[in-house]
Amino acid sequence: MKKVLVVHYSQSGQLHEVVKHFTQPLVDCEHIAVTFEAIAPAQDYPFPWPFWRFFDTFPETVYLDPPPLLPSALNGDENFDLIILAYQVWFLSPSLPITGFLKSPLAEQLLRDKPVVTLIACRNMWLQAQEQVKSLLHSLGSKLVGNVALTDEAGSLGSFLATPVWVLTGNKGPQLGGLIPRAGVAPHKIEACQRFGERIRGVLTSEQAIDPSLLNGLGAVDVDEKLIASESTARRSFLIWGGLLRGIGPQGAPLRKPVLALYVIFLLTLILTFVPLSMLLKKLLSPFLRQRIARQKNYFALPSGE
């Protein structure tokens, strides 16, 4: 009997649906036992987000400050053949509950020397978050053997409007007669996640080695080369502003609010000016940077490949 652990946290419920379809072939297999570990923060994060709490969570998120978690039913002595880590992206970083798990003694016990598949559902910018998760997994002694990234159907421009509306109101849309498109990952993409579970089931039940070729050829990720530079720049600015806000005080500190207001203005300006300019510049220079861009895309697509 093969044993699979699925670690997940879904604030809006979307990732829960992704996990359900992804793991269904494993759950239905009599030769595989699947354990689901839903991460539970000691103080949960509401959905939809209150405006100020959403932005007040940003500094701790980008600095990977682990929040307190409720006790798990697992004790760390369990032995799993594969770990599936499903997470959301908050401010180009893994969500705080997942950070809390990855920095816990329990994760160190469960994940050491184990193969891990990461599963992401987010707007469209996941590269920097995955880099941080890869670093955390490496520190735990885990082996990343696969990554699946599902992104919003609205695309870069459409999700710029749709995602904030969904996050702050709970309404996926579409809205304003379609001017603001539907937020979230397309239902057909979520349902199609079963193909990954089917591949994993086949490997586990046939006693094949679980290695980085696990999900090759299944279209697990799509690296948008136009966003590589934008994510890197945004990440650096997040660390600067996040460090400033952490220095002012903890979450909820009254002095944070005026600085957060300045940060929101800065963030909107960055998104409306630098990001499109960066994407345009990348497009114009792409003929001269073709090999470099190809190397970047190949790197970020690892280990599953596009």
Side-chain angles (χ1 to χ4, degrees), residues 146 150 170-171 189 239 255 273:
L150 303 182
N171 188 347
K189 283 189 176 182
L239 288 171
L255 288 177
T273 58

Side-chain angles (χ1 to χ4, degrees), residues 3 6-7 12 17 22 70 113 135 142 149 151 158 174 176 179 182 187 194 198 204 221 245 252 254 275 280 291-292:
K3 297 181 180 179
V6 182
V7 179
S12 67
E17 287 300 309
F22 188 100
L70 295 178
D113 298 323
S135 177
S142 303
T151 57
L176 301 180
L179 181 63
R182 182 184 182 276
Q194 290 203 22
E198 290 166 358
L204 288 175
V221 301
L245 286 158
V275 171
L280 176 61
Q291 290 185 342
R292 181 171 182 267

Side-chain angles (χ1 to χ4, degrees), residues 9-260:
Y9 173 81
S10 181
Q11 188 189 25
S12 67
Q14 174 177 258
L15 190 60
H16 174 77
E17 287 300 309
V18 171
V19 168
K20 177 182 175 182
H21 286 278
F22 188 100
T23 61
Q24 197 62 54
L26 305 177
V27 172
D28 292 341
C29 181
E30 62 181 4
H31 301 295
I32 299 175
V34 183
T35 300
F36 291 91
E37 172 70 2
I39 303 302
Q43 182 179 7
D44 206 0
Y45 301 90
F47 190 83
W49 280 98
F51 181 85
W52 287 113
R53 184 168 182 194
F54 173 70
F55 286 103
D56 199 26
T57 307
F58 143 73
E60 286 68 29
T61 300
V62 298
Y63 273 92
L64 304 179
D65 294 337
L69 304 177
L70 295 178
S72 170
L74 301 172
N75 57 34
D77 295 332
E78 297 85 355
N79 185 27
F80 294 99
D81 298 285
L82 177 68
I83 315 291
I84 298 172
L85 179 71
Y87 73 93
Q88 300 168 286
V89 175
W90 293 2
F91 299 100
L92 304 184
S93 298
S95 68
L96 277 174
I98 290 298
T99 295
F101 169 75
L102 289 174
K103 288 196 166 185
S104 69
L106 178 63
E108 187 172 2
Q109 292 176 277
L110 292 172
L111 273 64
R112 183 160 299 281
D113 298 323
K114 299 299 180 183
V116 176
V117 171
T118 48
L119 174 58
I120 307 166
C122 67
R123 181 190 163 212
N124 67 341
M125 300 175 79
W126 55 270
L127 305 180
Q128 290 296 316
Q130 182 68 355
E131 287 300 289
Q132 294 166 73
V133 169
K134 284 160 61 176
S135 177
L136 290 169
L137 291 175
H138 178 73
S139 70
L140 293 170
S142 303
K143 298 171 286 187
L144 182 65
V145 296
N147 178 42
V148 176
L150 303 182
T151 57
D152 284 14
E153 61 181 315
S156 295
L157 182 60
S159 62
F160 171 68
L161 297 173
T163 302
V165 171
W166 177 33
V167 166
L168 297 175
T169 69
N171 188 347
K172 269 193 172 185
Q175 300 184 67
L176 301 180
L179 181 63
I180 299 179
R182 182 184 182 276
V185 179
H188 71 87
K189 283 189 176 182
I190 295 177
E191 293 169 6
C193 271
Q194 290 203 22
R195 71 187 187 277
F196 304 113
E198 290 166 358
R199 171 68 66 81
I200 293 171
R201 178 185 62 194
V203 170
L204 288 175
T205 55
S206 64
E207 299 292 338
Q208 297 178 51
I210 302 176
D211 59 32
S213 69
L214 179 65
L215 301 179
N216 289 176
L218 295 181
V221 301
D222 180 17
V223 178
D224 188 343
E225 67 270 16
K226 297 187 298 295
L227 296 174
I228 294 174
S230 300
E231 279 208 42
S232 179
T233 301
R235 168 76 179 155
R236 288 194 293 269
S237 73
F238 283 180
L239 288 171
I240 293 170
W241 282 90
L244 172 63
L245 286 158
R246 285 167 88 230
I248 291 172
Q251 287 186 38
L255 288 177
R256 268 198 184 191
K257 187 168 284 190
V259 180
L260 279 170

